[in-house]
Amino acid sequence: MGVQRAIQLGIVVPCYNEEPVLRDTTTRLLALLDRLIAAGKIAVASRIYYVDDGSRDGTWALIEELAQQHERVGGLRLSRNRGHQNALLAGLYTVPGDAIVSVDADLQDDVEAIERMVDACHDGADIVYGVRDDRSIDTAFKRWTAQAFYRLMALFGVEIVYNHADFRLMSRRAIDALRDYHEVNLFLRGIVPLIGFPTATVSYARRARRAGESKYPSRRMLSLAWEGITSFSITPLRIVTALGAVIFALTVLMSFYVLGVRLLTDAAVPGWASTVLPIYLLGGIQILSIGILGEYLGKIYREVKQRPRYVVQQTVNV
Ligand code: UDP
Ligand code: MG
C-alpha cells in the first residue's frame, strides 16, 4: 500500500457465544487503538467491529451496549450462525477502513502484534500474516493435529502459511481482490496467499483463551482441515487414479498368468481365491473412488448454487 499517512484501521472480530470475553477484549483493543492513534500510526476513525455469528447467548445485546458506550466500537449481526470463516468474510466485506485486521474474540492471538502489522503495512505490505511461533499453551493434542494438518497441506501442494490462523492484516486493495474469489467452500487461509501483492509476517506467542470455551471442538477442526484439503487440492483424486492404474496393471499380468496356466499346462483348475479375491479388492477400491468423486461432486453442487455466504441482519456504528 505504501501510504505514509495514518491508515484508517478496522479490527474485525468474529464472535460466537463470546459474552464472557467481550468486555475484556473491548478494553484491550480500545487501549491498543488509543495508543496507535496517539503514535500517529492509525487514523482517529479507526474502529473495532464485532461480527455476531448468530450467537445464542447475550453477545449481540452486549455488542450494542459496547457500541453505545464507545464510539470506536461497531458491530454487525448475521441472521444465523454461519461459521467462523463466513463471519470473518462478512466483516471484511462490510466494514470500512484502509486496512482490516482480523482477530479472534478470545485474544489468544497477541494484540500487541497488531502494531507490528500496522508497521509492516506502512512499509508497503498489503497482507501481513500473524504467525504463532510459540504454541506451548495449546494442548499436545491440538499442537500435534495442527502440525499434522500443515504438513499434509504442504504435501498436497496447497500453499499455506505455516502456523498462521486467521490473524492477519489486509489492505483495502487486497480485500477488493478477495471479492473475486467466489467460492462457497471457504478456507480463507488457502485463498489469501493466492491473491499475491507484497506480504509480510509477524510472529507472536499464542496465549490461553481469556474466558469462555473453544468453539472449535475436534469435529469442527477436522471439518476445517478436510475443507482446506478438498477445496484446494485434487491430490486425493490423483492418488485414487494412480492406485486404480497400478491395480489394473497387476490384473493384466495376473490374467496372462492365469491364461498361461489354463492353456499351456494341464495343471490346477482356477482356484476360489483367484476369483473371489479380485472381486473384493476391486469392489473396495471402486467404492473408495466413488466416495472421493462424490466429495468433489458435492463441492461442485454447492458452488454452482452460488448461495450467499452470509446475510447481515443488523448493524450498529458501521
Ligand atoms: N467463531 C465464530 N463462529 C463459529 C465458531 C467460532 O464466529 O461458528 C469465532 C469465535 O467466536 C472466535 C473465533 O471464531 O472468535 C475462533 O474460535 P475459538 O477461539 O473458539 O477457536 P480456537 O481458538 O479454540 O481454535
Ligand atoms: Mg480461540
Side-chain angles (χ1 to χ4, degrees), residues 13-18 51 53 81-85 87-88 103-106 108 132 142 206 209 213-216 220-221:
V13 188
C15 306
Y16 179 59
N17 296 345
E18 296 289 8
V51 182
D53 184 20
N81 181 249
R82 296 294 290 126
H84 181 206
Q85 300 287 296
L88 205 61
V103 64
D104 289 352
D106 53 20
Q108 283 188 283
R132 304 162 174 172
K142 184 135 188 171
R206 182 163 157 96
R209 200 172 224 287
E213 55 197 30
S214 174
K215 276 84 196 171
Y216 266 107
R220 267 188 126 145
M221 262 166 31

Side-chain angles (χ1 to χ4, degrees), residues 72-88:
R72 294 217 170 89
V73 174
L76 52 147
R77 181 187 200 183
L78 302 191
S79 57
R80 54 160 294 164
N81 181 249
R82 296 294 290 126
H84 181 206
Q85 300 287 296
N86 290 305
L88 205 61

